Amino acid sequence: QVQLVESGGGSVQAGGSLRLSCLASGYTVASSCMAWFRQAPGKEREGVAAISSESTTMYADSVKGRFTISKDNAKNTLYLQMDNLQPEDTATYYCAARPFPQLALDRDRYNYWGQGTQVTVSS
């Protein structure tokens, strides 16, 4: 059974930083594409960043230069380092996985989802 468990969310002021983690079980992070999505109240879930099996990365334009996606294959864990956070980054952040190695930021291409972790940025 695949489980993705996010942690690291919280409340910060604008300009602050947070690091999200996603621990995978029943699933091998090293051999697949994984991503972070976010959903703000009243908005659709959107892709934030993705990382391929070979650690190639892609980012949404809104977070380029501020967020960094990475993974630790030995720990089977995905990360999202978020710097210079802004109020518009406030959302529930979800970890997602797809059993293919190629990059994607389309939510319909992801089979497995975590329960989400809340990030709140105040001005």
Side-chain angles (χ1 to χ4, degrees), residues 1-4 25-27 112:
Q1 182 179 0
V2 176
Q3 282 193 319
L4 303 174
S25 59
Y27 197 83
Y112 306 107

Side-chain angles (χ1 to χ4, degrees), residues 32 59 66 82 87 105 111:
S32 62
Y59 296 91
R66 301 189 298 122
M82 305 185 294
L105 265 183
N111 302 75

Side-chain angles (χ1 to χ4, degrees), residues 4-6 20-22 34-40 44-49 69 78 80 91-97 110 112-119:
L4 303 174
V5 180
E6 302 98 334
L20 306 182
S21 299
C22 172
M34 298 194 69
W36 289 97
F37 288 76
R38 67 186 181 186
Q39 188 167 19
E44 293 191 353
R45 192 170 299 188
E46 63 174 358
V48 174
I69 190 171
L78 178 73
L80 184 68
T92 300
Y93 283 72
Y94 298 89
C95 171
Y110 284 81
Y112 306 107
W113 295 84
Q115 82 289 350
T117 186
Q118 179 66 37
V119 172

Side-chain angles (χ1 to χ4, degrees), residues 53-65:
S53 59
E54 297 182 351
S55 295
T56 304
T57 58
M58 66 185 300
Y59 296 91
D61 288 343
S62 58
V63 306
K64 282 181 182 176

